[in-house]
Amino acid sequence: MIIIPMKEGENIERALKKFKRKFEKTGVIKELRGRQVYIKPSVRKRKEKIHAVYVQQMQLNED
């Protein structure tokens, strides 16, 4: 459960912004969207491998 302590006279928009930031860091929405569609483990591994190669190429090009 996310708890946002509010100070006396604090703006409600600021507290809402803090809540949204904390909620996003928990990764609930990202996990929910990931569970909406089943991805086979082989496809997931293939995508991870392709992404790792891409990241490695970007790091090599950076140097």
Side-chain angles (χ1 to χ4, degrees), residues 26-41:
T26 60
V28 174
I29 297 294
K30 189 174 184 180
E31 184 178 338
L32 182 68
R33 287 187 179 144
R35 289 179 180 218
Q36 285 180 343
V37 178
Y38 178 74
I39 300 171
K40 289 174 32 179

Side-chain angles (χ1 to χ4, degrees), residues 5-48:
M6 285 187 61
K7 297 176 185 170
E8 189 67 35
E10 186 177 8
N11 194 356
I12 194 76
E13 279 91 25
R14 185 175 296 232
L16 188 61
K17 196 172 188 178
K18 285 181 186 177
F19 172 76
K20 286 180 181 180
R21 203 174 309 129
K22 278 190 176 183
F23 184 73
E24 196 171 301
K25 282 185 180 180
T26 60
V28 174
I29 297 294
K30 189 174 184 180
E31 184 178 338
L32 182 68
R33 287 187 179 144
R35 289 179 180 218
Q36 285 180 343
V37 178
Y38 178 74
I39 300 171
K40 289 174 32 179
S42 61
V43 174
R44 180 174 290 145
K45 282 172 71 174
R46 190 177 330 131
K47 281 187 177 187
E48 287 175 4

